Amino acid sequence: MEFRAPRNSGGRRVQAVRDVSLEVAPGEILGLVGETGSGKTTVGKCVVRLLQPTSGAIHFMGREITTMSARELRPIRSQIQMVFQDPYSSLDPRMTVSQVVAEPLRAHGRHSRQDAQTLVARTVERVGLSRQVLDRYPNELSGGQRQRVGLARALVLEPRLLIADEPVSALDVSVRAGILNLLVELQRTMGFSCLFITHDLSVAEFLCDRVAVMYLGEIVEVGTRDEVFGEALHPYSRSLLGAAPLADPVQQRTRERSIMPGEPPSAIEPPPGCSLNPRCPLADARCSAESPGSTAVSASGHLVRCHRIAEQQQLEVSRS
């Protein structure tokens, strides 16, 4: 996915996302983690077609939706819904809660007015709100209540895939646990798949079945929750885990830390070869000359994008 860079950059283009390949299984929560600017939100917006990808393909339930027209996408849009990061700007302040949650039903014309009102009330209760909020406006609600309204709006159509873009990052810590527990319960009872975008590793570890790690627009590691959080292999994944705070102060002091030096390079001028090579302690001449592909390191689908890991895997295979 490319964007035009600012004018002072000479009209060059930014590759916000490149060579990304992800699959979300039915009923699965896939976490997409990485620091700010890594391209996580761009991936989510491409999947839901809020952004038109400049290359590649998006498949949903066996159908390619990448180049579908707005008319062709209409029946599919009801099956792919999104919860946005900021509950304060994602709700129309001129609409009541009832109108906000009913808007997708009205747009898709699925229900009569009476049936829609009944479904809206039931969905609002399902996300932990009372029917008393139906006639209120967003400015009369707390941040946590607003995000529950946003969740109700996304789930009222009972989608097959939910894109959750940092849904708790703008909320107080005391409110986050309630929203996350609610999401787990709703996913279990409704059975939807979820692409959960976050920079908070503790949230991803709590919520997700599998985790994909992004760096500078690329997926550098994908694995199950236990593989990524217990056996991370990519240097960047290890660095992220090493920088994340731990609740136990003893573990915080004694754990091995692998903090990546320097800052991520500009997406306008990414480094040649592996995008991590200017910062990676394992980088060699090949890393600065050739971009690595993904290497399978387990039968479960644990993938790592690293020359050095690939070499290590080949060495272990030859020894065996």
Side-chain angles (χ1 to χ4, degrees):
M1 181 68 195
E2 291 185 345
F3 296 97
R4 187 175 296 280
R7 292 181 179 179
N8 58 11
S9 68
R12 289 174 292 180
R13 303 188 70 84
V14 178
Q15 275 199 314
V17 174
R18 58 187 182 278
D19 197 21
V20 167
S21 180
L22 288 175
E23 180 177 348
V24 186
E28 177 186 56
I29 301 180
L30 173 65
L32 187 58
V33 304
E35 56 195 311
T36 301
S38 59
K40 306 185 301 297
T41 296
T42 300
V43 170
K45 288 184 175 180
C46 285
V47 172
V48 81
R49 283 289 305 274
L50 289 177
L51 292 175
Q52 176 61 44
T54 53
S55 62
I58 301 168
H59 292 84
F60 177 68
M61 297 181 63
R63 299 180 63 188
E64 185 176 347
I65 66 172
T66 323
T67 57
M68 281 187 177
S69 65
R71 183 175 181 178
E72 292 172 319
L73 270 175
R74 188 176 180 83
I76 294 175
R77 285 195 184 280
S78 66
Q79 298 298 302
I80 308 175
Q81 293 291 302
M82 190 166 188
V83 179
F84 297 92
Q85 177 177 358
D86 186 359
Y88 295 91
S89 63
S90 60
L91 303 180
D92 191 331
R94 300 165 297 180
M95 300 173 70
T96 64
V97 169
S98 178
Q99 292 171 328
V100 167
V101 179
E103 188 176 19
L105 297 174
R106 179 186 59 80
H108 289 277
R110 283 191 178 181
H111 301 272
S112 67
R113 184 180 182 87
Q114 184 175 358
D115 289 344
Q117 290 176 340
T118 301
L119 183 55
V120 165
R122 187 165 67 239
T123 305
V124 164
E125 289 181 332
R126 200 170 195 174
V127 299
L129 297 172
S130 70
R131 297 195 180 200
Q132 295 176 344
V133 306
L134 288 171
D135 295 324
R136 295 182 184 176
Y137 289 88
N139 68 311
E140 300 177 273
L141 306 177
S142 67
Q145 288 175 319
R146 294 186 195 195
Q147 198 59 296
R148 288 174 188 263
V149 172
L151 188 57
R153 177 179 60 185
L155 296 180
V156 72
L157 290 171
E158 298 188 349
R160 302 291 295 271
L161 175 64
L162 179 71
I163 311 295
D165 183 16
E166 301 270 16
V168 297
S169 64
L171 304 179
D172 293 338
V173 174
S174 59
V175 180
R176 294 182 186 181
I179 299 292
L180 292 174
N181 286 325
L182 171 65
L183 188 57
V184 169
E185 179 61 26
L186 290 170
Q187 192 272 337
R188 184 183 300 118
T189 57
M190 299 180 70
F192 56 82
S193 302
C194 180
L195 177 61
F196 191 89
I197 299 168
T198 182
H199 67 272
D200 191 327
L201 296 179
S202 62
V203 170
E205 186 175 16
F206 167 76
L207 191 71
C208 301
D209 302 303
R210 290 191 305 126
V211 178
V213 182
M214 282 197 79
Y215 177 77
L216 204 64
E218 297 177 330
I219 302 292
V220 297
E221 185 163 6
V222 184
T224 65
R225 174 174 48 197
D226 291 341
E227 286 171 338
V228 172
F229 287 97
E231 305 172 22
L233 296 176
H234 196 279
Y236 179 69
S237 302
R238 290 179 176 177
S239 176
L240 279 184
L241 293 170
L246 297 177
D248 188 334
V250 175
Q251 291 182 350
Q252 181 76 21
R253 288 196 304 269
T254 59
R255 71 172 174 179
E256 181 182 352
R257 297 175 66 86
S258 176
I259 307 301
M260 194 68 63
E263 297 291 333
S266 169
I268 299 176
E269 294 185 83
C274 174
S275 57
L276 188 66
N277 84 81
R279 307 173 64 194
C280 181
L282 302 180
D284 58 16
R286 185 184 179 190
C287 298
S288 60
E290 181 183 339
S291 180
S294 294
T295 300
V297 295
S298 75
S300 64
H302 189 181
L303 301 175
V304 181
R305 192 184 186 95
C306 178
H307 287 307
R308 303 301 301 275
I309 299 301
E311 292 169 359
Q312 197 172 47
Q313 289 295 116
Q314 292 171 357
L315 183 60
E316 291 177 357
V317 169
S318 64
R319 286 176 176 173
S320 62

